[in-house]
Amino acid sequence: MSASRSETEGRAATGADLLAALLDGMDAALCAFDADGVLTHWNREAERILGWSAEEAVGRRGFAGWAVRSADADDVHRRLMAVMDAPGRQVHEFALLRKDGGRVLVRTQSAGVRGADGRPAGVYCAFSEVHAQIDLERSIALSEALFEDASWGVVLVDVDLRPTVVNAHAARALGAGRTTLLGRPLGEVVVQGVEELEGALHHVLAEGAPKAPVELWVTLRTPEGERRRCWRSGFLRLASPLAEEPVPLGVGWLFQDVTDARLAEQEADRLRFRSSQLHRAGSAAAECEDPMEAAATYLDFALAGFADHALVDLFQGDRLVRAAASPTGAPGPVARLTGGGIPVRYAAGHPALQAVDRAGPVRASATSDSWATDRHWPPDAAHALCTVLRSRGRTLGVLTFLRSASRPAFERPDAVYAQTISVRVASAVDLASMLEG
């Protein structure tokens, strides 16, 4: 009998030690009262907040006379103990006293404790400083707002660089559903630029967040086709607040689409450069005694940053004859060609002939390996822009600009610029024909 009693007492002591260790190890301040309102438990976090040790707190009846002002003591005690006879938990805010005399506003969650016979046996109370609780609530509210209502994309990726959380804005930007992106490699939706994006994420995991936002150009695969976008991105390394040493959990990636603004800036820069080139070309051409030399000068300035080759074909009767061209195979100035006036062999439907028929610009791009040679153009040509040379109401010929495959195809703004060049070249060519006549 005595042995059994000893074992029981030993287990009870072990359980009490375990409970005390658990209470002391918790981040929340915890205390407990018996049915008479006497403190039975007081953990280290409660001691940290109020300054009273467990030895000073346990055994006192309520907070009166030490942890609360006398004027508030009865109200605080009544509200704490009332939960003993009520179901569920109750939340209150109290102004308590620190050991040093300072006051601290705490938010409490209390609930009744029942004994083995089901009757009320006491109350346990968890409490924290209100500002800490508010900080936590703000953090939670911020997280929820970022992942629901933010006007920029937010993506959390794990250490394997796979999305784990995607907000609605980011899902729309990536052209996929929020759940379909989870756990998938970024390369499944980012066709081009994924190496730069993953490189940035790897850097953040290894070194931390960059000091300034990063702009990344990417091409996305969407149900509507490929889209090229520019994202202004910020990165944050995520680490567990519970670990003794910072262990990366992944990266928070925040981005905004700035494609329209960047394209507008690029277009403005392009227009400024082209305007400057036209001004410089006009000044240089004005110094040329030979009008055909002036025409070649206009083309030399026009080619810079615009095309790889320029060809001038002029009408002799009803036939087009090559009059000037940039060199093939090596860089150099546009040169006037002299010869026997052998016509170029443009077949029906050739872009240059289409431009003559329309009296306007024609754009074309390669459709086969022999596309350029079939049209009697340099073999590296992959994109063409043909525009007519007109002066005094007459069509004098065709001006052709060519780009290699390393450059993008000509677009509508390029055609406008080519027409501006062709007006100046046509005037010089017309002057040359008048002087020769």
Side-chain angles (χ1 to χ4, degrees):
M1 181 70 70
S2 60
S4 177
R5 184 183 298 112
S6 176
E7 291 175 0
T8 302
E9 291 174 352
R11 285 194 296 268
T14 301
D17 292 341
L18 177 60
L19 177 59
L22 289 172
L23 291 177
D24 281 341
M26 297 187 71
D27 293 330
L30 292 168
C31 62
F33 302 86
D34 63 17
D36 296 323
V38 176
L39 270 163
T40 60
H41 295 82
W42 187 263
N43 75 346
R44 292 186 185 276
E45 184 65 11
E47 178 180 345
R48 186 194 67 79
I49 293 175
L50 295 180
W52 301 95
S53 67
E55 291 77 8
E56 295 171 308
V58 173
R60 292 178 182 264
R61 187 175 186 277
F63 292 139
W66 62 289
V68 71
R69 294 192 312 169
S70 300
D72 300 330
D74 291 340
D75 179 60
V76 170
H77 187 75
R78 177 184 56 79
R79 291 163 68 185
L80 279 176
M81 300 308 294
V83 73
M84 189 166 56
D85 298 316
R89 293 179 298 173
Q90 293 185 4
V91 177
H92 300 289
E93 289 186 1
F94 302 124
L96 299 182
L97 293 177
R98 289 194 174 104
K99 186 176 181 179
D100 60 10
R103 300 181 68 197
V104 57
L105 185 63
V106 300
R107 179 173 296 176
T108 66
Q109 293 189 45
S110 53
V113 178
R114 297 190 176 273
D117 56 2
R119 290 186 297 179
V123 172
Y124 81 84
C125 175
F127 63 92
S128 61
E129 297 176 83
V130 167
H131 72 82
Q133 182 71 20
I134 291 175
D135 287 345
L136 175 61
E137 292 177 1
R138 285 190 183 125
S139 297
I140 295 172
L142 174 61
S143 298
E144 292 181 349
L146 285 174
F147 290 115
E148 296 298 334
D149 306 321
S151 58
W152 54 84
V154 181
V155 179
L156 300 188
V157 298
D158 60 20
V159 292
D160 295 322
L161 307 188
R162 295 175 185 263
T164 58
V165 183
V166 180
N167 78 340
H169 187 98
R172 289 192 298 270
L174 290 164
R178 295 179 65 177
T179 56
T180 58
L181 290 167
L182 303 184
R184 296 170 56 188
L186 292 169
E188 291 189 11
V189 291
V190 180
V191 180
Q192 296 178 0
V194 67
E195 294 85 1
E196 291 79 2
L197 175 56
E198 291 184 342
L201 294 171
H202 276 301
H203 174 81
V204 174
L205 283 172
E207 305 292 338
K211 295 181 179 180
V214 179
E215 291 191 0
L216 300 170
W217 280 94
V218 299
T219 300
L220 302 175
R221 180 185 292 112
T222 69
E224 295 77 25
E226 294 186 356
R227 293 187 302 143
R228 186 156 175 78
R229 312 304 296 170
C230 181
W231 288 334
R232 185 173 176 83
S233 303
F235 302 94
L236 299 170
R237 181 164 61 178
L238 306 179
S240 173
L242 303 179
E244 293 183 5
E245 297 181 0
V247 178
L249 296 178
V251 177
W253 170 33
L254 294 81
F255 65 92
Q256 281 186 313
D257 192 317
V258 294
T259 308
D260 293 342
R262 294 299 169 266
L263 290 178
E265 291 175 1
Q266 291 177 5
E267 182 62 22
D269 291 341
R270 186 182 300 114
L271 288 175
R272 281 193 294 270
F273 175 75
R274 290 178 178 178
S275 176
S276 173
Q277 288 297 95
L278 287 174
H279 175 75
R280 295 174 60 199
S283 299
E287 302 300 322
C288 297
E289 294 183 5
D290 181 0
M292 286 302 295
E293 183 184 350
T297 299
Y298 277 120
L299 293 177
D300 285 333
F301 279 93
L303 282 173
F306 181 67
D308 298 304
H309 302 287
L311 309 174
V312 177
D313 301 320
L314 300 179
F315 276 110
Q316 290 186 5
D318 59 352
R319 301 178 303 173
L320 283 172
V321 176
R322 182 69 42 82
S326 57
T328 301
V334 175
R336 183 177 180 178
L337 302 181
T338 58
I342 299 175
V344 290
R345 300 187 307 276
Y346 289 159
H350 191 282
L353 301 179
Q354 292 182 39
V356 172
D357 293 338
R358 299 178 187 178
V362 172
R363 290 174 285 154
S365 292
T367 55
S368 66
D369 293 339
S370 61
W371 179 82
T373 54
D374 290 345
R375 286 155 182 77
H376 303 283
W377 286 333
D380 64 333
H383 309 290
L385 172 57
C386 300
T387 184
V388 292
L389 298 171
R390 288 184 60 81
S391 178
R392 294 187 294 156
R394 298 176 300 127
T395 298
L396 306 180
V398 182
L399 171 60
T400 300
F401 290 106
L402 300 171
R403 288 177 177 173
S404 63
S406 62
R407 291 176 176 261
F410 289 101
E411 298 179 350
R412 187 178 299 275
D414 299 322
V416 174
Y417 181 60
Q419 286 179 292
T420 304
I421 295 295
S422 68
V423 168
R424 289 163 169 76
V425 172
S427 297
V429 169
D430 194 18
L431 178 58
S433 64
M434 291 174 62
L435 294 177
E436 291 174 359

